[in-house]
Amino acid sequence: MNGGDDGGGAAAAPTGPPPPPLEWKFSQVFGERTAGEEVQEVDIISAIEFDKTGDHLATGDRGGRVVLFERTDTKDHGGSRRDLERMDYPISRHPEFRYKTEFQSHEPEFDYLKSLEIEEKINKIRWCQTANGALFLLSTNDKTIKFWKVQEKKVKKISEMNVDPSKGNGGVASSSISSAARPYLANGGYPDKPYNCPQGGIPSLRLPVVVTSHETSLVARCRRVYAHAHDYHINSISNNSDGETFISADDLRINLWNLEISNQSFNIVDVKPANMEDLTEVITSAEFHPSHCNMLAYSSSKGSIRLIDLRQSALCDSHSKLFEEQEAPGSRSFFTEIIASISDIKFGKDGRYILSRDYMTLKLWDINMDSGPVSTFQVHEYLRPKLCDLYENDSIFDKFECCLSGDGLRVATGSYSNIFRVFGCVAGSTEATTLEASKNPMRRQVQTPSRPSRSLSSITRVVRRGAESPGVDGNGNSFDFTTKLLHLAWHPTENSIACAAANSLYMYYA
């Protein structure tokens, strides 16, 4: 880690004495693979998101499914986490989640006008505000956003019928009649009892008198579909703090939606040039400010971040602030623009900082300071000599996500060989922890350079175009471009990280 230019006394990264480095421990794994088990493409996780409370976690996969997990350790030990915190109750337990439900969010489609297949793969999931015990979330593939409501429904069962067993018009089996000894007729009557029909020939109607709810089941319902608003692939969706609107972004446009209105959106950013040959950059990620409903930021393939204010004009093509790092003179190469492209941005919880991930680094930006990032973190600098190989096998275009801790003291992002890195971002912190998505996350740090570790990639093979190029990183650990940790999320209130290694969801706590 090396601090960026702090602009001559301007505010640096979060201040205060740096906290000691965290010691991470394995918590849980869902979808663990056995040795040699082949991973199905549709099962590979493509999105992870905690809700605002941290009590629910959602993952999306390439098969178009959304899987929900819910927190159990706070429920099982009495009281909600907030109540325990209010009582100053020491929380020493590590977070535990259990599988809650899953549903098919998107199906593969075909655009006949453009002769294009539209994958079902979930690109992003965002939680919305809960209401009446129901969970709400947005999910999107390349073209279509859906608004889901997940709610417990009670299954009603009839326990008693208004039937007199002494009379022969028992049309339905009930708790007071043993029907095992007598066969049913097709119409539900019994062959050995004549119907008591009043004159007129219609049997008397019998109604259930006791209906009880026996069990509950979770039902996911698609409430709205927001479609036909993007010509290019959707890379981001983000909820507004007003609870009513959200944005969706593709390569050239950002649209503003009202959650209640699915057939109309407002185009608020359009970077498409009149002549497509003049196109020099595309939008790569967009996110609303966590508390100011009029502000949002979006990043570009040129490594810049633009902050825009919806109050300035209806079409926000002019930004209110631009954040980009100046190139060091003489450092330009064929790969400079490719690796400068920002794959993900996230606002810190207080909205003061923006974290961005480009191919080689994480950068932390202060929104009050546009002279450059306040901190830069080298994620896998040892890959710089291999940029040519990474370009040959398309790995250089991998889009790694990033996340910040709820307290703003640390940042995290993934790399190859299913490793991820956690950095302290308080001024003066030297925390830079390398962890592996396995049951022993810290083992990568105790490796001796003479003994390369057995990467998880030797257990799992993810099919990837291009040659496999294993190598050795700065710690002497082998790395493999075919296994990569692209998606991860930090719990909003505590030091707990969920990350995806192919089809497995690993969870860690500190």
Side-chain angles (χ1 to χ4, degrees):
M1 167 191 153
N2 62 310
D5 169 28
D6 67 0
T15 51
L22 294 175
E23 187 181 333
W24 291 90
K25 301 180 189 73
F26 170 78
S27 175
Q28 285 174 285
V29 58
F30 295 94
E32 188 181 14
R33 299 176 298 282
T34 54
E37 182 187 341
E38 198 172 323
V39 179
Q40 299 299 312
E41 180 85 7
V42 292
D43 294 332
I44 293 174
I45 296 170
S46 56
I48 301 180
E49 187 80 2
F50 279 105
D51 73 348
K52 267 186 181 159
T53 64
D55 291 337
H56 292 94
L57 175 69
T59 64
D61 64 25
R62 293 189 187 178
R65 288 164 302 202
V66 171
V67 183
L68 304 185
F69 301 88
E70 81 178 330
R71 182 98 181 239
T72 56
D73 58 302
T74 46
K75 288 183 180 177
D76 298 345
H77 293 76
S80 75
R81 188 168 194 84
R82 252 176 256 111
D83 295 338
L84 295 174
E85 283 168 351
R86 226 173 271 132
M87 292 159 49
D88 235 13
Y89 189 89
I91 301 164
S92 56
R93 304 184 299 276
H94 71 79
E96 280 179 35
F97 285 79
R98 71 174 169 215
Y99 168 88
K100 187 176 175 79
T101 189
E102 69 180 86
F103 54 90
Q104 188 72 34
S105 174
H106 287 72
E107 303 278 358
E109 299 168 57
F110 191 80
D111 184 334
Y112 291 97
L113 290 174
K114 296 181 178 171
S115 296
L116 274 178
E117 280 186 62
I118 301 166
E119 284 185 291
E120 65 271 41
K121 174 189 159 210
I122 306 295
N123 289 346
K124 284 283 187 289
I125 295 171
R126 289 291 179 263
W127 289 90
C128 304
Q129 290 175 351
T130 56
N132 302 326
L135 302 173
F136 294 89
L137 43 89
L138 289 164
S139 62
T140 186
N141 65 353
D142 285 340
K143 294 287 183 184
T144 306
I145 306 151
K146 295 186 179 182
F147 183 47
W148 290 93
K149 178 183 184 180
V150 181
Q151 195 173 27
E152 283 191 344
K153 292 279 184 190
K154 288 185 175 170
V155 180
K156 291 187 166 64
K157 290 190 175 177
I158 297 163
S159 64
E160 282 183 44
M161 293 289 291
N162 185 7
V163 172
D164 184 350
S166 63
K167 295 197 172 89
N169 56 353
V172 183
S174 74
S175 58
S176 56
I177 299 176
S178 170
S179 56
R182 293 179 289 163
Y184 284 119
L185 288 177
N187 64 1
Y190 298 109
D192 56 344
K193 289 271 185 179
Y195 280 107
N196 287 342
C197 293
Q199 288 201 324
I202 300 171
S204 53
L205 186 65
R206 299 295 179 189
L207 298 172
V209 289
V210 181
V211 177
T212 54
S213 295
H214 277 275
E215 57 203 53
T216 59
S217 69
L218 278 163
V219 179
R221 287 219 172 95
C222 183
R223 297 288 303 277
R224 281 178 196 86
V225 177
Y226 313 90
H228 313 301
H230 287 278
D231 290 332
Y232 303 92
H233 290 178
I234 299 170
N235 55 49
S236 308
I237 48 175
S238 178
N239 302 77
N240 197 346
S241 58
D242 65 9
E244 296 176 5
T245 55
F246 70 94
I247 51 167
S248 58
D250 66 21
D251 290 345
L252 299 179
R253 294 190 176 99
I254 300 176
N255 292 333
L256 178 68
W257 302 82
N258 188 304
L259 278 167
E260 301 295 321
I261 302 165
S262 59
N263 61 357
Q264 183 183 36
S265 66
F266 297 95
N267 178 226
I268 54 171
V269 174
D270 187 347
V271 299
K272 185 177 182 179
N275 182 353
M276 281 296 275
E277 287 179 8
D278 299 332
L279 183 69
T280 57
E281 63 182 327
V282 295
I283 298 166
T284 55
S285 181
E287 187 167 270
F288 261 119
H289 188 281
S291 54
H292 298 333
C293 60
N294 55 290
M295 287 175 70
L296 61 102
Y298 69 90
S299 60
S300 85
S301 56
K302 274 195 165 176
S304 60
I305 300 168
R306 289 171 173 85
L307 196 66
I308 60 177
D309 191 333
L310 296 172
R311 296 171 301 187
Q312 288 182 344
S313 72
L315 191 60
C316 304
D317 288 348
S318 59
H319 50 268
S320 55
K321 277 191 179 170
L322 174 68
F323 305 93
E324 59 186 352
E325 192 168 28
Q326 299 308 312
E327 259 179 55
S331 66
R332 193 164 181 78
S333 74
F334 173 75
F335 303 111
T336 301
E337 264 190 42
I338 301 172
I339 63 173
S341 178
I342 294 173
S343 54
D344 191 26
I345 57 169
K346 292 280 188 338
F347 271 101
K349 204 173 191 176
D350 62 358
R352 168 81 184 270
Y353 296 95
I354 298 174
L355 181 68
S356 69
R357 170 73 206 260
D358 57 44
Y359 189 69
M360 298 297 288
T361 65
L362 272 175
K363 292 186 173 82
L364 192 68
W365 308 79
D366 184 332
I367 66 168
N368 299 325
M369 196 188 111
D370 51 12
S371 57
V374 291
S375 296
T376 299
F377 310 93
Q378 308 295 345
V379 178
H380 40 216
E381 188 60 23
Y382 51 83
L383 291 181
R384 200 170 285 277
K386 291 191 161 288
L387 289 176
C388 200
D389 297 341
L390 292 157
Y391 180 77
E392 286 292 319
N393 65 17
D394 284 353
S395 296
I396 203 166
F397 302 108
D398 287 334
K399 291 174 170 52
F400 291 95
E401 291 177 3
C402 58
C403 56
L404 296 98
S405 60
D407 55 18
L409 300 179
R410 294 175 180 87
V411 295
T413 192
S415 180
Y416 293 100
S417 301
N418 286 342
I419 65 167
F420 62 103
R421 307 206 64 197
V422 178
F423 299 96
C425 56
V426 174
S429 173
T430 56
E431 182 175 355
T433 310
T434 302
L435 301 149
E436 181 182 39
S438 71
K439 287 187 176 178
N440 181 8
M442 301 293 279
R443 69 174 177 164
R444 294 207 147 250
Q445 296 204 291
V446 294
Q447 289 295 328
T448 56
S450 58
R451 289 184 58 201
S453 81
R454 179 167 161 268
S455 155
L456 203 61
S457 57
S458 56
I459 301 169
T460 315
R461 286 276 172 255
V462 182
V463 179
R464 179 82 193 169
R465 188 164 76 77
E468 288 180 14
S469 308
V472 177
D473 68 15
N475 298 330
N477 299 313
S478 63
F479 59 80
D480 178 358
F481 304 143
T482 62
T483 53
K484 52 198 156 222
L485 200 147
L486 300 174
H487 311 286
L488 76 173
W490 201 301
H491 189 285
T493 57
E494 56 196 70
N495 289 320
S496 170
I497 289 178
C499 56
N503 66 325
S504 301
L505 177 69
Y506 285 91
M507 306 193 74
Y508 303 95
Y509 71 102

